[in-house]
Every structure is written in C-alpha cells, then in structure tokens.
Amino acid sequence: MLFASIVYFPRAGIYILPIPVAIPAPLFAIAYLGYTVYASRSGRARINHDAHLSGALTGIAFVALTDPAAVARALHPLLG
C-alpha cells in the first residue's frame, strides 16, 4: 500500500516517528529498498526482509498493471 501510494503521490512526505520532519516519498522509497536489500543479505535478524521487499515491489507492479498512466506521471519529473 505504501509504495502504491508513493506512485500516486510522489510529491508527498512521509513522517516516521520520532523524526519531526517529513521525508520526501521518493527518497524514503529508495532508502527503504536499499535498507531492505542490505538487511536481507546480512541475515542477522529474525525478520523476513525478502517479504517486505516483495510487498513493496508488488505494490509498484500492481499500480503499473492497473494504472500505467500513474507510473508514467510519477516518473515524468525524473525523466524530464
């Protein structure tokens, strides 16, 4: 749900407690995916980071399949 909403609202900010400042949604997405891949490969925790990564990518894929124009609108500022 979170990554699907980032596709629909790429200019939104995400608040994470206790950080009192909004994090830009695209920056959060990149940081989250990077951390999830890193944590999955380290394998020290008892958390299934692969499931979190799959869920994030599934959210993006769902929007891409059901509303491709939303993905194009989200990528437009990056591609110019």
Side-chain angles (χ1 to χ4, degrees), residues 17-61:
L17 292 175
I19 302 170
V21 179
I23 301 168
L27 178 63
F28 173 83
I30 292 168
Y32 181 84
L33 290 175
Y35 170 74
T36 302
V37 169
Y38 167 77
S40 175
R41 292 181 187 218
S42 71
R44 288 184 241 160
R46 293 184 292 170
I47 297 171
N48 187 354
H49 292 285
D50 291 333
H52 289 104
L53 177 63
S54 298
L57 297 177
T58 300
I60 295 169

Side-chain angles (χ1 to χ4, degrees), residues 2-10 59-61 63-64 67 70-75:
L2 180 62
F3 275 72
S5 71
I6 291 172
V7 172
Y8 282 113
F9 307 105
I60 295 169
V63 174
D67 191 3
V71 176
R73 285 190 306 270
L75 292 177

